Amino acid sequence: MKGFKTCYQSEAAFRQEVWLAIFLLPLAFIFGKTGVEQVILIATVFLVLIVEILNSAIESVVDRIGDEYHVLSGAAKDMGSAAVWLSLMLLIITWLIILI
């Protein structure tokens, strides 16, 4: 829970995604026609949160190492951000397929 609290306090993107989850999770139960659909909708929401926490952890470690720019540090941060973006795309596509 300490990691969850730290991420919520220090990462604006994570706070936004938590509020998105608070909005979407009840909708998963409303719009999911079967238990499987509900689980899939819920899983994509939690996947975004998990990936954002891991991305924040990567960024924290990179920032801890030093403030100067390094190609590998930039690449690590960019890859973490790409993972978050992919998880968000998966959420959007999954919700659209199930809801439409």
Side-chain angles (χ1 to χ4, degrees):
M1 292 308 293
K2 186 176 179 181
F4 190 82
K5 180 180 176 183
T6 300
C7 198
Y8 188 84
Q9 290 175 340
S10 64
E11 296 293 331
F14 185 71
R15 285 191 297 276
Q16 293 167 355
E17 290 158 355
V18 165
W19 287 106
L20 180 66
I22 290 169
F23 175 75
L24 289 178
L25 289 174
L27 293 180
F29 290 103
I30 294 168
F31 293 119
K33 294 178 185 88
T34 66
V36 172
E37 285 185 356
Q38 291 172 347
V39 168
I40 291 170
L41 293 173
I42 291 166
T44 59
V45 172
F46 276 99
L47 182 65
V48 169
L49 296 173
I50 292 165
V51 174
E52 185 64 54
I53 289 170
L54 293 172
N55 179 49
S56 297
I58 290 168
E59 289 179 353
S60 292
V61 169
V62 168
D63 291 345
R64 165 69 174 86
I65 292 171
D67 291 335
E68 69 279 353
Y69 177 79
H70 190 280
V71 174
L72 294 177
S73 296
K77 287 185 170 190
D78 290 344
M79 286 184 260
S81 295
V84 172
W85 185 82
L86 285 174
S87 70
L88 286 165
M89 292 303 103
L90 178 64
L91 179 140
I92 291 168
I93 292 167
T94 301
W95 278 73
L96 287 175
I97 288 171
I98 289 177
L99 297 180
I100 294 177

